[in-house]
């Protein structure tokens, strides 16, 4: 994993999920902007469209006009409907494996600690 500097497994996976979602939004916004050139919408508008699509809110204020754009949007919806629950399930499994007490444990800054916490 590229997040090996993060020691906590849950925090590391949250960072991975965040990165995956950001990449998904940016990549698909770029694809939609390319496929829907005729609409002449700025990139941040397509980012908004992808966020609304991934969140399955679907306001309908922005829609693809071309057939290829619609197929791309349908593919993105299917991918999001599969990926987001999988990532959520994996996160919940990682949370369940962690002990509540392990998160609250004391980790000394050096190995030369001479006191004991009771």
């Amino acid at each position: 994993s590229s997040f090996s500097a993060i020691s906590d497994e849950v925090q590391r996976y949250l960072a991975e999920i965040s990165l995956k979602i950001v990449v998904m939004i940016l990549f698909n916004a770029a694809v939609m902007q390319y496929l829907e050139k005729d609409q002449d919408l700025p990139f941040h508008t397509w980012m908004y469209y992808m966020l609304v699509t991934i969140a399955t809110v679907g306001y309908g204020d922005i829609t693809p006009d071309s057939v290829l754009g619609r197929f791309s949007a349908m593919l993105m919806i299917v991918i999001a409907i599969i990926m987001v629950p999988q990532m959520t399930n994996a996160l919940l499994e990682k949370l369940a494996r962690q002990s509540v007490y392990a998160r609250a444990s004391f980790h000394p800054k050096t190995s030369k600690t001479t006191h004991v916490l009771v």
Side-chain angles (χ1 to χ4, degrees):
S1 172
S2 61
F3 296 100
S4 58
I6 303 173
S7 61
D8 184 24
E9 186 180 10
V10 173
Q11 288 179 349
R12 182 175 41 251
Y13 194 68
L14 278 171
E16 289 176 14
I17 287 174
S18 300
L19 182 63
K20 286 177 186 178
I21 291 173
V22 167
V23 167
M24 198 181 334
I25 290 170
L26 293 175
F27 175 77
N28 287 296
V31 168
M32 291 305 293
Q33 187 176 30
Y34 175 75
L35 294 175
E36 297 293 323
K37 291 179 246 186
D38 295 340
Q39 290 195 35
D40 197 33
L41 294 173
F43 183 71
H44 62 83
T45 302
W46 289 113
M47 285 176 48
Y48 159 78
Y49 168 76
M50 291 315 313
L51 179 64
V52 169
T53 301
I54 289 172
T56 66
V57 175
Y59 291 124
D61 53 346
I62 302 166
T63 57
D65 290 336
S66 70
V67 174
L68 208 51
R70 289 180 182 170
F71 277 118
S72 176
M74 288 189 307
L75 181 64
M76 180 56 213
I77 291 168
V78 169
I79 290 170
I81 286 175
I82 293 169
M83 279 185 64
V84 171
Q86 281 180 341
M87 291 186 297
T88 304
N89 189 36
L91 176 64
L92 291 174
E93 286 176 4
K94 289 178 189 320
L95 281 169
R97 281 197 302 258
Q98 275 193 345
S99 166
V100 175
Y101 304 106
R103 287 188 230 147
S105 65
F106 174 73
H107 300 289
K109 292 182 180 179
T110 66
S111 59
K112 298 177 184 176
T113 305
T114 56
H115 62 280
V116 176
L117 291 179
V118 180

